[in-house]
Amino acid sequence: MKIICVVKFVPDGDSFDIEDDKPVPLRKARRLRINPDDECAIGLALKIQKSQPDTSIELLTMGPPSLGPLVEDILRVGVDRATIISDEIYASSDAWVTSKILARYLTTAEYDGLFTGSHAIDGGSSSVPPLIGAALGLVQLSGITKLDEDSVGDACVRVDVEDEASVTRYEIDMPAVLSFSRKSGYRLPYVRFKNRNRDVTDKLVWLSNNDLGFDAAEVGLKGARTKIARSFSSTSQKPERRVVGNDQQGVDAVYNLLKEKRFI
């Protein structure tokens, strides 16, 4: 079975600036991280691979050259291959253009299913997964909180979408674009200490517009079908600081926090 995880890297917290009053938000990221919903998609793919060792996983993303080390760390946790699409001509592409670029690559790839996140934390429109599905002629479903792993490999898979009032189960013919929510609880594991410096460059492929062949008028700001009327920085609230004592209660609080954040 071949799974392609289509993911996005987003600015990490307050580590970016937005230039006000520009037609396009110019984000100067100092740190990037994988989008939380997309992390769930990879976490599930790795979980499937653990129970079905013949499963092959590819990561597909778009972004600047600085993504290289971040993607290499994901390769070190068990993803088999990664493809980064990176070209200055793609800068300022909206969701419509981004989906076209990703879909052009995917038309050349073999896969049994596409896993994505449902929403992005950087203010995206959450429309890239459905647009990819439309471009490829595939069914797409967002907000998935659970996949029945016993159905993986069958002609259709069973997935749950949970809202505040109910849980709805769907049966979806494969291949399809399955978009997961962070509520699913699937997690991307950390790189093991022994693998932290493992060379994975042979598993990483870089593609540019020389490979995909778009006209300059089709991509970037020129090809965008949506325009940002105004962008501005918002003030985020800093997390509450908690002080604990040097006693068993404090030890328990630290332990529970580390466990919650998956450091242990």
Side-chain angles (χ1 to χ4, degrees), residues 218-240:
E218 296 179 278
V219 295
L221 188 58
K222 292 181 180 179
R225 293 193 175 186
T226 57
K227 308 294 182 183
I228 295 176
R230 180 172 179 262
S231 62
F232 53 91
S233 301
S234 61
T235 302
S236 59
Q237 294 182 345
K238 292 185 178 180
E240 180 183 355

Side-chain angles (χ1 to χ4, degrees), residues 1-4 109-115 133 136-140 154-157 172-178:
M1 181 177 182
K2 170 71 177 291
I3 299 170
I4 298 182
E110 295 183 359
Y111 53 83
D112 298 293
L114 301 178
F115 287 7
L136 299 174
L138 299 177
V139 172
Q140 186 275 337
D154 296 342
C156 66
V157 296
I172 302 178
D173 292 337
M174 298 296 283
V177 183
L178 305 180

Side-chain angles (χ1 to χ4, degrees), residues 15-75:
S15 66
F16 67 97
D17 302 313
I18 298 180
E19 295 188 8
D20 293 347
D21 301 321
K22 299 290 184 180
V24 175
L26 302 176
R27 296 180 179 183
K28 301 176 180 178
R30 296 188 290 274
R31 289 194 314 273
L32 293 172
R33 58 162 294 182
I34 189 167
N35 183 57
D37 281 18
D38 299 341
E39 178 182 344
C40 294
I42 303 174
L44 173 59
L46 289 168
K47 190 170 185 286
I48 292 171
Q49 186 185 60
K50 189 173 182 180
S51 60
Q52 301 184 22
D54 60 340
T55 300
S56 174
I57 304 171
E58 177 181 352
L59 179 148
L60 173 63
T61 191
M62 274 181 62
S66 58
L67 291 184
L70 299 174
V71 172
E72 288 178 4
D73 271 346
I74 294 177
L75 288 167

Side-chain angles (χ1 to χ4, degrees), residues 188-255:
L188 181 64
Y190 288 101
V191 180
R192 292 187 177 182
F193 184 80
K194 66 178 181 180
N195 293 330
R196 70 193 190 284
N197 294 318
R198 182 162 61 93
D199 183 11
V200 293
T201 53
D202 61 323
K203 299 182 177 183
L204 178 56
V205 177
W206 292 85
L207 297 180
S208 69
N209 197 54
N210 291 332
D211 303 292
L212 299 181
F214 284 97
D215 186 272
E218 296 179 278
V219 295
L221 188 58
K222 292 181 180 179
R225 293 193 175 186
T226 57
K227 308 294 182 183
I228 295 176
R230 180 172 179 262
S231 62
F232 53 91
S233 301
S234 61
T235 302
S236 59
Q237 294 182 345
K238 292 185 178 180
E240 180 183 355
R241 182 182 180 186
R242 182 182 178 188
V243 179
V244 297
N246 186 19
D247 51 22
Q248 187 60 47
Q249 186 177 3
V251 171
D252 291 342
V254 172
Y255 174 81

Side-chain angles (χ1 to χ4, degrees), residues 102-116:
L102 294 169
R104 179 162 294 187
Y105 169 75
L106 289 167
T107 58
T108 69
E110 295 183 359
Y111 53 83
D112 298 293
L114 301 178
F115 287 7
T116 78

Side-chain angles (χ1 to χ4, degrees), residues 58-135:
E58 177 181 352
L59 179 148
L60 173 63
T61 191
M62 274 181 62
S66 58
L67 291 184
L70 299 174
V71 172
E72 288 178 4
D73 271 346
I74 294 177
L75 288 167
R76 292 186 179 104
V77 301
V79 171
D80 299 289
R81 166 191 165 97
T83 301
I84 301 177
I85 300 174
S86 183
D87 200 305
E88 289 185 2
I89 198 175
Y90 298 152
S92 301
S93 293
D94 66 354
W96 167 256
V97 175
T98 298
S99 66
K100 285 201 309 180
I101 295 169
L102 294 169
R104 179 162 294 187
Y105 169 75
L106 289 167
T107 58
T108 69
E110 295 183 359
Y111 53 83
D112 298 293
L114 301 178
F115 287 7
T116 78
S118 292
H119 306 289
I121 63 172
D122 64 344
S125 62
S126 305
S127 58
V128 170
L131 286 170
I132 289 175

